[in-house]
Amino acid sequence: MTMTTAPPPITEIETFGVERIPDADRTARPFDLFRVSFGGANTFATCVLGAFPILFGLSFWQGLAATVLGLVTGALILAPLAVFGPLNGTNNAVSSSAHLGVHGRVVGSFLSLLTAIAFFSISVWSSGDALVGGAARLAGLPRTALAYGIAYAIFAGLVLVVCVYGFRFMLFVNKIAVAGASLLFVLGVFAFAGDFDAAYPGTFASAGDPLFWPSFIGAALIVLSNPVSFGAFLGDWSRYIPADTPRRRVMGAAFLAQAATILPFGFGLATASVIAVKAAPYMDAAAPNYVGGLLAVSPGWYFLPVCLIALIGGMSTGTTSLYGTGLDFSSVFPRFSRVQATVLIGALSIVFIFLGRFALNLTQSISTFATLIITCTAPWMVIMMTGYLTRRGWYDPEALQVFNRRQRGGRYWFTHGWNWRGMAAWMVSAALAIAFTNIPGQFVGPLGGLAGGVDISLPLGLGVAAVLYLLLLTVFPEPRAVYGPGGPRFVRAADTPVPPIIGPGTATAEQPAPV
């Protein structure tokens, strides 16, 4: 049994970066992982995704089937990414060194950085819009650029403060968010019970309509993208879970956290069907405005709960996104501490939020940008999982830290710090996935029309990544040393020598390591 110390108070600023968390400081539980993951998705942003089946013309029951399919599939893909944190005591980008190389791990850092900025922006915009809209209906506050700007600034500032304090404070916020937002969503059952009709028919006469299956699959993939978006961040939170925690419990927490988001997804789906009947212009596929439509059809007494959902849920999404951003930036540029990196990236993200909203009008295109990032992240996740299976879950924590310590060599040095097998599998699968992306009215890749209008980008990227990576590992075996005492699984190994770790803090012929 691993001995642990008492967890520090939430008001103590977290000092750990991406170095391996000492065993004594790992005081989190799988339930904490559940709270952070579920809290980060139990928001308005998820409700907006839940509205897409109705936007695509599906009936309520067809939309519910697409939602469940996408949610369960995405949760199954995501869950294995939770084990790297407890296993290696660091975030998933650093763990990816084992499969992409000491330098190749920057791919994971770059993907998580872009994902975090995109989702931080989405959370601030959607929550700020809901707050201003609710205040306008409740107190007659004018919907001016100044009002929106003040809402964005206050909201983003609060998120940045929580992220600077770190993991424990974030757990505290999510403890409130999980219970509070869930209660408010359940309260919505009573708010819309009189208007909701489960027999909402959608626009398709039957499943034989040529546009039905593209719409159904497209809706399921949009839902699936939400769990996948957490792939780069799970290690940020699960690294505080003790290494001896059963892996099935860690994966179960990650899976159940996403399964629980059927609550905000279902809320978005049901209310979108109400909006489509009572305020149809808000559900125009060319310019949808779910938040505006929700405020338009909500009874007066539910305006305050809507504002609270925006505040609580947006805080949760914003903190889970921005926390990982600062952590990853500090790993790529070790001269910055986690706090310094968080403040810097947070300030730059806030500048981007204001420019994107008021100067460049990026509020619509940022959703497309986030979708494309997730399309590139999914193959990276598959390479991580495939590598985990071939390594039998064995990793060398010291060799994973070579990049962060500005060292060279070790088990994961491969070719000048790059494992071209993993890099090639990721680049090919990500490029193919983008080429087959089909988001009507937003982005259609050069091969996006080959599947009859169906967006097959995510399934294609996932499948190609797994097959190609295994093929490359078989044809071009990795050094036997990367597999540990159990040897490889499914693939071959080569008796290739591994260069010793050299650089700051390591032993050399002239200078032995300190005792």
Side-chain angles (χ1 to χ4, degrees):
M1 184 73 178
T2 302
M3 298 297 295
T4 59
T5 59
I10 64 172
T11 53
E12 180 178 317
I13 294 179
E14 179 187 6
T15 58
F16 287 119
V18 294
E19 69 272 18
R20 187 177 185 276
I21 303 297
D23 292 339
D25 292 289
R26 298 201 198 183
T27 56
R29 301 166 298 161
F31 184 65
D32 294 320
L33 176 63
F34 171 88
R35 281 200 321 227
V36 174
S37 300
F38 177 45
N42 197 30
T43 66
F44 257 141
T46 306
C47 295
V48 172
L49 296 179
F52 270 86
I54 303 299
L55 279 171
F56 285 2
L58 300 179
S59 70
F60 172 77
W61 291 111
Q62 292 165 348
L64 183 60
T67 298
V68 171
L69 174 63
L71 192 56
V72 172
T73 304
L76 288 172
I77 294 171
L78 174 71
L81 269 292
V83 303
F84 290 96
L87 188 61
N88 297 322
T90 186
N91 70 347
N92 284 356
V94 173
S95 292
S96 73
S97 300
H99 309 297
L100 298 178
V102 168
H103 293 153
R105 52 67 46 99
V106 298
V107 170
S109 296
F110 185 64
L111 289 173
S112 60
L113 178 67
L114 295 179
T115 304
I117 291 176
F119 279 87
F120 178 48
S121 302
I122 291 172
S123 69
V124 170
W125 286 332
S126 61
S127 297
D129 289 351
L131 286 172
V132 172
R137 295 289 299 271
L138 280 171
L141 179 73
R143 304 188 191 195
T144 62
L146 177 61
Y148 284 108
I150 292 174
Y152 297 155
I154 293 175
F155 191 79
L158 289 173
V159 170
L160 182 56
V161 169
V162 173
C163 292
V164 166
Y165 275 99
F167 180 72
R168 297 294 164 192
F169 206 117
M170 191 169 65
L171 273 182
F172 173 73
V173 169
N174 277 275
K175 180 185 294 187
I176 298 173
V178 167
S182 298
L183 178 62
L184 293 168
F185 280 132
V186 171
L187 193 61
V189 173
F190 301 97
F192 298 101
D195 296 319
F196 172 66
D197 181 6
Y200 173 76
T203 60
F204 298 110
S206 70
D209 189 299
L211 293 179
F212 171 77
W213 286 110
S215 298
F216 182 89
I217 294 173
L221 289 177
I222 285 178
V223 174
L224 182 149
S225 69
N226 196 59
V228 169
S229 70
F230 284 83
F233 303 123
L234 279 187
D236 300 344
W237 317 319
S238 64
R239 65 198 179 114
Y240 277 97
I241 297 175
D244 58 2
T245 304
R247 295 175 190 179
R248 66 178 182 279
R249 291 185 58 201
V250 178
M251 289 192 293
F255 177 85
L256 291 175
Q258 296 305 317
T261 60
I262 191 64
L263 179 60
F265 272 115
F267 181 89
L269 179 69
T271 52
S273 67
V274 174
I275 296 169
V277 173
K278 297 189 63 177
Y282 287 99
M283 295 302 289
D284 182 359
N289 182 2
Y290 170 78
V291 173
L294 181 65
L295 291 170
V297 301
S298 295
W301 66 267
Y302 197 63
F303 289 159
L304 181 59
V306 166
C307 292
L308 290 175
I309 291 174
L311 179 63
I312 296 172
M315 279 286 292
S316 185
T317 297
T319 53
T320 52
S321 298
L322 190 58
Y323 173 80
T325 307
L327 188 65
D328 254 331
F329 192 80
S330 68
S331 73
V332 177
F333 299 98
R335 69 182 62 183
F336 291 99
S337 68
R338 186 199 65 82
V339 172
Q340 292 171 329
T342 299
V343 171
L344 176 60
I345 294 299
L348 292 175
S349 298
I350 292 172
V351 171
F352 173 80
I353 286 169
F354 277 85
L355 288 176
R357 175 63 172 83
F358 298 112
L360 304 176
N361 194 26
L362 296 178
T363 50
Q364 295 295 327
S365 58
I366 194 69
S367 299
T368 304
F369 179 58
T371 301
L372 293 176
I373 295 171
I374 292 167
T375 301
C376 294
T377 302
W380 176 85
M381 293 169 61
V382 169
I383 289 169
M384 290 280 288
M385 290 184 283
T386 305
Y388 177 90
L389 290 174
T390 61
R391 307 283 176 86
R392 301 179 187 273
W394 186 91
Y395 293 89
D396 181 350
E398 290 300 309
L400 290 175
Q401 296 290 335
V402 164
F403 180 95
N404 309 323
R405 297 169 180 167
R406 289 301 183 259
Q407 299 169 334
R408 298 167 59 87
R411 297 177 194 267
Y412 308 131
W413 187 249
F414 298 106
T415 305
H416 305 293
W418 301 88
N419 185 356
W420 65 267
R421 305 160 189 83
M423 290 294 298
W426 173 73
M427 287 189 290
V428 171
S429 54
L432 273 176
I434 291 177
F436 276 90
T437 298
N438 190 330
I439 310 174
Q442 298 183 54
F443 178 85
V444 178
L447 305 177
L450 294 185
V454 177
D455 187 338
I456 61 171
S457 55
L458 273 176
L460 183 66
L462 294 168
V464 171
V467 172
L468 183 56
Y469 187 41
L470 281 175
L471 179 63
L472 290 173
L473 290 179
T474 302
V475 178
F476 304 98
E478 291 178 329
R480 190 174 303 278
V482 305
Y483 292 103
R489 177 192 284 145
F490 305 135
V491 296
R492 300 184 298 125
D495 293 319
T496 307
V498 172
I501 297 176
I502 59 174
T506 60
T508 64
E510 295 77 24
Q511 181 180 351
V515 177

